[in-house]
Amino acid sequence: QNETTVTEFILLGFSSNPALRLCLFALFSVLYSATLIGNALVFVLICLDYRLHSPMYFFLCHLSIVDICYASNNVPHMLRNLLGQGKTISFAGCGTQIHLYLIFALTECVLLAMMSYDRYVAICHPLRYALIMNRRLCLTLAAVSWAFGFIFGTLQASLALHLPFCGPCEVDHFFCEILAVLKLACTDTTVNKVLIFVVCVCFLLFPLALILISYVHILATILRIRSAPGWHKTISTCGSHLTVVSLFYGNAIFMYMGPGSGNSSGREKVLSLFYSLVSPTLNPLIYSLRNKQVKEALLKLQRRKRVFHS
């Protein structure tokens, strides 16, 4: 029998102080706008400039899509909440947030591992790079990333939403994060928490191990490079990916697998902010917009606009 009597949830958000909420609204609005503009710009540049039609930028294009969708799933409702206009969310809306949040988060976990493999092939097997990272393989790796994210995200969301919720209905978070919602279930959630841990092992620890193995081989190859320009180019290319990987996986492991995970609402909110705003804002800057080829593509696009308007 379905014991769910809760038809909507109340998102407590960050603070009851009106002045602080207004400051947070202004800050998060700027970050959200930067996320949308930065990732959309990267996507458009990669699509328009044939010089960026390579495996590395193909995966960056998918990462930009994930970041836009991920931020747009959580942030607009959070901004409404900060203005005092969106504290409540329907049960269906909450379920949709959980579902999409899991899909995009798990997809990015796999996608970052695929990107490390691309860097491994590019640096350790440069002469065979075009042969190995062909169009078919790139499409397959991207499809696998999205498929895994969708399947396991749907599984977790379905199990969580089929639990009985009979009150209270206050979610101590700024969106319907799965750990925060599980606290409100009127039954034992051990199975759900075990599943979350297993998924974390598969989508966090296993991809992270593959990334570290890739970079051990990359480091060994770098040490054999004698020219300073070669060192600089290789470290610059891989440093961006390692920076994002360290931040992304480190925060996720601390949030979902660390001691006391799911018990500290303050910690969950801060870490969720990283995934919802900080990481999607930084990714275009770290990966693309400081890259020489992307800068050249951006200048080329600006010249096209000037010619068009003149």
Side-chain angles (χ1 to χ4, degrees), residues 89-154:
I89 184 170
S90 67
F91 186 87
C94 186
T96 301
Q97 274 197 344
I98 292 175
H99 191 194
L100 294 177
Y101 163 78
L102 291 170
I103 288 175
F104 298 133
L106 297 178
T107 299
E108 185 159 352
C109 287
V110 183
L111 197 58
L112 289 174
M114 302 302 185
M115 293 171 70
S116 73
Y117 176 71
D118 171 71
R119 293 299 84 208
Y120 160 73
V121 177
I123 293 169
C124 298
H125 304 283
L127 299 180
R128 300 173 56 203
Y129 178 70
L131 180 64
I132 297 174
M133 297 302 296
N134 55 64
R135 180 178 177 81
R136 182 176 179 180
L137 179 62
C138 291
L139 290 172
T140 301
L141 294 178
V144 166
S145 300
W146 284 99
F148 276 23
F150 179 81
I151 292 169
F152 287 93
T154 301

Side-chain angles (χ1 to χ4, degrees), residues 3-4 27 33 37 60 64 83 91 93 96-97 122 127 129 134 152 170 188-189 197 203 219 234 255 279 286 300:
E3 299 176 31
T4 298
L27 174 62
S33 300
I37 294 170
L60 283 176
S64 294
L83 291 178
F91 186 87
T96 301
Q97 274 197 344
L127 299 180
Y129 178 70
N134 55 64
F152 287 93
E170 292 184 340
D188 183 36
T189 58
F197 184 82
F203 282 83
L219 180 61
T234 306
M255 181 173 176
S279 180
I286 293 175
K300 184 178 177 182

Side-chain angles (χ1 to χ4, degrees), residues 10-25 28 78-87 171-175 265-266 269-270 273:
I10 299 173
L11 300 173
L12 297 182
F14 289 97
S15 172
S16 58
N17 186 318
L20 178 59
R21 288 160 67 97
L22 195 60
C23 290
L24 291 176
F25 175 82
F28 296 158
M78 177 186 70
L79 295 177
R80 287 182 58 210
N81 191 325
L82 288 170
L83 291 178
Q85 300 175 356
K87 278 187 170 292
V171 180
D172 193 6
H173 215 289
F174 62 86
F175 78 105
S265 59
K269 291 177 188 178
V270 171
L273 266 180

